[in-house]
Each structure stands twice: as structure tokens, then as C-alpha cells.
């Protein structure tokens, strides 16, 4: 047997035929055949010169008989008149038919032309519009072959006539513009930051918590490892009011970075920088929440920021903290214990979020922090690994500690891709925040405009403060 594709196909065909077409006696259940028996080995196909290859293959497996003989004689057999010229295609068709799962409706055209709606095949000249993602035959759009060859050798964009026209809205027209594409679906591909304008997929769990609990207090923490070029990715959840208090550690900022670079509308920014090479922490808290920063309750040796927040008329202290890996366990235990002593005197409810660089999954590596939790009766809410460094086992170094575990729920721990190796952690506090009163805006309605009232209002304005204008008449 000749090696190669033809030999392999022939081998598969032989075994399939042996299994599928075993020469059993078949009784032709026809009233005019008187139960004549014909062996499968004697099946001969009737076929003509104009019959396509697929029909020829079907006739080979499922032969047709001449039932015009109504006198009860032998079945008329007509020998085939077609020769198989392409044995490889013939064998492939046989295998496809034997598979038994050929789709009778293969679906719509894969790449229909935007003009003629016929398929743009790989052996035809076609061009893709970079705006609407429709394919077009070159001949359908009267594109010169010379220009087509130039475009095929460059990375320049090409747009069809519909996309180059102004895209009017339906304000004055009944025709609505819909953007569609005839390109195959690429939903199986991972979304890139350029393709996704928001971060719904990244912060989907956090968004769901906010939808379910719109008035509860949500605080979060992220070790970002330099915030200089990453704030735009964080700003999305601030713009949508997803979190109320966010701590960001290892900001790596100094006084050369202005606060305006990291501010977001509706939030207040607080910073505690170390230097541009490492460390630092900042907090961003909603300006709608009654709160204040407590600098007197912040450690001198450990980088942290503390906020006093009122939730359901209860006073809470929320602290964000970062302990560098270089700090020893004894130094941390001494400083943190003193800090907690001050906090417990003034507050019955407090939460500490931070990257403390103690792996809570290994008891030997988290002994200083575990001792503090035992002394101050603190519970650790994060249970899964939060740090995933290359060539290292996952560790749980980002923690949420609180003395009111029953008041916290919906603790989240998920990766964002914003930090190099740390997960985003958050928790929700039971109890609703005080509802803010809507600001009243007074404006003039011109439906019932009164010129006299308007002049009186103008006269009440201290126009003399404007240079060169002293009275309302001069104005």
C-alpha cells in the first residue's frame, strides 16, 4: 500500500466499510419484488456522466434500483458509466458520509461581501473595511488592481464608502444606524485593555456587591507597586462610585508628583509618601461620607493612614497600612501594638487593611501578626492567597483585620492585572451610610421672563468689583 495521505485514507475506508457494510442479506420490501433477496456484495450503482462526485459517493454506499419492472422479473441492474479521477477526494467523501454527522444546514456565509452578499473566498481578491469590519470583493467596489496590490503590502487602513460618509443620528431621520460585522466571532479571545473602555470584567464582583448594597460602606486595598502610570485604571471604579474608601500601597511618589494627578471628582485624596523609589501609601475617600483623618493614630515607623467614619451612627476607624519586607517582626509588633492600644481606647469598631508581608498560610512566617491578633481579638477576613510572585508559591500577605467580624460581609479577593503580583481585596460593612441631601440649584426660567425682576436682580449684584464697571446701567 502506498504511503502518504492516500494510503491512510484508503486504510480508514477499508475498515469503515468492513464495519458499516457487512454483506448481510437484505429483503427489498417492495410489493412488486416478491421478497427477492439481493446481497450487498452485488450492489451496482446507476450513475451518469453529469452526476457530481458527492452523489456518486452516496450511490456507492446506498445504491438505487430500477423499480420500473412491474412483472415480477429480476431486478434490472445498470452498470455505472463514471470513472473516479480523483481517488483522494473520493475516499474523503466516503469517510465524511460514514461519519454520520454531516450537517445538513452548514450555516450562513462566513464572509459575505458588503455589496453582493456572496462569500469572499480566499482565492478571490477581497479587502476588509477597518471601520465596519465588512469584507468586499475588489470587483464589487471597482477598486483598481494596482491600488489593491499597494494596500495589500502596507498597513494602511481602508474604509468603505458607507463608513467615509457622515454618520448622522436618528434625530431627524427614521433610519437608525447599526454597526454590524461579518467577521467571525472572537469572543473566545481575551479582551485587551485597548478593546475594553471600562473595567467591568475586572471589577465585576465588586460592581455586583455595590448593586446589591448601594448604601453600605465598601472599603478596599491594593498594593499597586507604583501608581504613576496606573491611576487611570483605578479611576474607573471611583468614577462609578464603586468603593467608598480605597487604600493604595507602594505608591512610590514624592513631592514632585502633584495631587491633581491622582484626584477624582467626588473623592478626597490623602497621601503619605516615602520616596519615588519605594513605599508610600495613599487613601481616596468619598467626599459624601462624614469622615476625618486621624493623624494622631498613625504609626511613625509603619506607613499607614487612618480615617474616622460614621456608619449607622456608629464610629469606625478604618486604617490602611503597609509594612516593608525589610522591617523586622519585633519592630512591627512593638509599633503596631502601641498603635492598637491608642485605637482601642477611643473606638469600639475598627478595621485594618494592608500588605503586612506576613504569610498567613504558614504559621511560622506569620507568628508576630498572629500574636497581635490573639491579644487584640482580631479576625482575619481574607482566607485565600493574595500574592502570586513568579517562581514562588502563592502567599497570603494582604489582610483585612477587624474586631467586629459579624459586622463585615462580602469580603472579596481577586486579581486585576493592575498590580504586578497582588490581588485586590475589599470588604463591606453592615449598616447604611447617612443619605446626603441633594444640592438645590436655582436658575432663571425664560418661559415667564420678567424684565423688571431681571433688572432688580442685576442691581443687587456688586458690580463695582468688576474693573471699569461701577453701576448696573454701565454694565
Amino acid at each position: 500500500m502506498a504511503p502518504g495521505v492516500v494510503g491512510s485514507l484508503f486504510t480508514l475506508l477499508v475498515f469503515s466499510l468492513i464495519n458499516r457494510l457487512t454483506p448481510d442479506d437484505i429483503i427489498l420490501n417492495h410489493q412488486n419484488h416478491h421478497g427477492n433477496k439481493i446481497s450487498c456484495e452485488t450492489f451496482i450503482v446507476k450513475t451518469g456522466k453529469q452526476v457530481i462526485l458527492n452523489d456518486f459517493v452516496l450511490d456507492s454506499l446506498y445504491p438505487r434500483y430500477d423499480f420500473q419492472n412491474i412483472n415480477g422479473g429480476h431486478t434490472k441492474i445498470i452498470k455505472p458509466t463514471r470513472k473516479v479521477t480523483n481517488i483522494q477526494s473520493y475516499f474523503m467523501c466516503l469517510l465524511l458520509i460514514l461519519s454520520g454527522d454531516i450537517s445538513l444546514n452548514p450555516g450562513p456565509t462566513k464572509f459575505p461581501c458588503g455589496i453582493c452578499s456572496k462569500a469572499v473566498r480566499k482565492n478571490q481578491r477581497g479587502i476588509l473595511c477597518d471601520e465596519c469590519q465588512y469584507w468586499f470583493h475588489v470587483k464589487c467596489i471597482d477598486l483598481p488592481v494596482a491600488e489593491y496590490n499597494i494596500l495589500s503590502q502596507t498597513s494602511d487602513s481602508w474604509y468603505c464608502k458607507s463608513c467615509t460618509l457622515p454618520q448622522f443620528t436618528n434625530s431627524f431621520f427614521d433610519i437608525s444606524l447599526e454597526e454590524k460585522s461579518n467577521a467571525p466571532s472572537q469572543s473566545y479571545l481575551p479582551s485587551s485593555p485597548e478593546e475594553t473602555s471600562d473595567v467591568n470584567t475586572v471589577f465585576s464582583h465588586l460592581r455586583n456587591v455595590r448593586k446589591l448594597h448601594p448604601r453600605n460602606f465598601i472599603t478596599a486595598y491594593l498594593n499597586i507597586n507604583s501608581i504613576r502610570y496606573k491611576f487611570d485604571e483605578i479611576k474607573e471604579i471611583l468614577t462609578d462610585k464603586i468603593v467608598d474608601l480605597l487604600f493604595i500601597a507602594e505608591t512610590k511618589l514624592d513631592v514632585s508628583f502633584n495631587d491633581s494627578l491622582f484626584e477624582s471628582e467626588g473623592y478626597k485624596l490623602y497621601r503619605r509618601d516615602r520616596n519615588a523609589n519605594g513605599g508610600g501609601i495613599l487613601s481616596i475617600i468619598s467626599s459624601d461620607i462624614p469622615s476625618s483623618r486621624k493623624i494622631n493614630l498613625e504609626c511613625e515607623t509603619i506607613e499607614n493612614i487612618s480615617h474616622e467614619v460614621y456608619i449607622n451612627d456608629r464610629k469606625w476607624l478604618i486604617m490602611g497600612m503597609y509594612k516593608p519586607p525589610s522591617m523586622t517582626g519585633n519592630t512591627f509588633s512593638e509599633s503596631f501594638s502601641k498603635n492598637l492600644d491608642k485605637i482601642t481606647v477611643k473606638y469600639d469598631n475598627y478595621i485594618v487593611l494592608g500588605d503586612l508581608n506576613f504569610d498567613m498560610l504558614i504559621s511560622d512566617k506569620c507568628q508576630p501578626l498572629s500574636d497581635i491578633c490573639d491579644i487584640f481579638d482580631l479576625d482575619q477576613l481574607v482566607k485565600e492567597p493574595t500574592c502570586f510572585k513568579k517562581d514562588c508559591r502563592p502567599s497570603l500577605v494582604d489582610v483585612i483585620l477587624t474586631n467586629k467580624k459579624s459586622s463585615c460581609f462580602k469580603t472579596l479577593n481577586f486579581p486585576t492585572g493592575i498590580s504586578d503580583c497582588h490581588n485586590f481585596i475589599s470588604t463591606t460593612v453592615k449598616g447604611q451610610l447617612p443619605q446626603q441631601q441633594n444640592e438645590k440649584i436655582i436658575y432663571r426660567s425664560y418661559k415667564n421672563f420678567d424684565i423688571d425682576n431681571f433688572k432688580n436682580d442685576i442691581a443687587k449684584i456688586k458690580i463695582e468689583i468688576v474693573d471699569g464697571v461701577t453701576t448696573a446701567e454701565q454694565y
Side-chain angles (χ1 to χ4, degrees), residues 205-216:
H205 298 295
L206 194 61
R207 290 177 181 274
N208 292 335
V209 172
R210 174 53 76 194
K211 289 179 181 179
L212 295 174
H213 310 280
R215 291 189 59 188
N216 287 90

Side-chain angles (χ1 to χ4, degrees), residues 16-225:
S16 300
L17 289 174
I18 292 174
N19 184 41
R20 185 74 175 262
L21 301 177
T22 304
D24 297 330
D25 290 338
I26 299 177
I27 298 177
L28 301 177
N29 296 322
H30 194 278
Q31 60 181 358
N32 297 324
H33 283 267
H34 307 289
N36 294 332
K37 295 184 179 181
I38 299 177
S39 175
C40 290
E41 295 177 334
T42 63
F43 286 172
I44 301 177
V45 183
K46 173 186 175 183
T47 168
K49 293 182 179 180
Q50 302 300 325
V51 180
I52 62 174
L53 180 60
N54 291 348
D55 291 337
F56 180 64
V57 174
L58 285 171
D59 288 340
S60 299
L61 294 178
Y62 305 100
R64 296 192 290 265
Y65 306 95
D66 183 11
F67 292 112
Q68 301 299 325
N69 185 2
I70 61 176
N71 296 320
H74 295 288
T75 303
K76 184 178 179 181
I77 300 175
I78 301 176
K79 295 183 179 181
T81 60
R82 172 171 177 154
K83 294 182 180 180
V84 178
T85 57
N86 190 334
I87 191 66
Q88 181 176 350
S89 299
Y90 175 69
F91 285 160
M92 182 61 71
C93 290
L94 287 176
L95 290 176
L96 288 175
I97 295 174
L98 288 171
S99 65
D101 60 353
I102 301 176
S103 176
L104 300 178
N105 182 14
T109 305
K110 190 173 184 181
F111 294 104
C113 175
I115 301 297
C116 66
S117 299
K118 294 182 180 179
V120 180
R121 305 184 185 279
K122 63 180 180 180
N123 59 347
Q124 298 174 333
R125 290 190 178 98
I127 189 168
L128 176 68
C129 177
D130 292 325
E131 180 67 22
C132 64
Q133 296 296 304
Y134 267 88
W135 282 93
F136 295 86
H137 288 115
V138 170
K139 62 180 181 180
C140 292
I141 58 176
D142 296 328
L143 181 67
V145 178
E147 185 177 348
Y148 169 78
N149 293 333
I150 294 174
L151 289 172
S152 62
Q153 296 174 2
T154 63
S155 59
D156 297 339
S157 300
W158 180 84
Y159 303 98
C160 64
K161 293 182 180 180
S162 300
C163 294
T164 54
L165 294 175
Q167 300 294 305
F168 297 104
T169 63
N170 57 359
S171 301
F172 301 97
F173 306 97
D174 293 332
I175 302 176
S176 61
L177 300 176
E178 297 182 359
E179 296 182 359
K180 295 182 179 179
S181 172
N182 63 349
S185 175
Q186 296 182 350
S187 58
Y188 59 89
L189 297 177
S191 300
S192 62
E194 292 79 13
E195 296 174 348
T196 308
S197 58
D198 58 12
V199 288
N200 285 342
T201 55
V202 177
F203 294 97
S204 58
H205 298 295
L206 194 61
R207 290 177 181 274
N208 292 335
V209 172
R210 174 53 76 194
K211 289 179 181 179
L212 295 174
H213 310 280
R215 291 189 59 188
N216 287 90
F217 181 84
I218 298 178
T219 181
Y221 180 94
L222 176 64
N223 183 323
I224 201 168
N225 192 16

Side-chain angles (χ1 to χ4, degrees), residues 39 86 99 203 229 276 294 346 350 374 410 434 436:
S39 175
N86 190 334
S99 65
F203 294 97
Y229 309 107
K294 298 298 179 181
K346 297 183 178 180
Y350 55 91
D374 293 338
K410 295 294 183 182
Q436 299 295 319

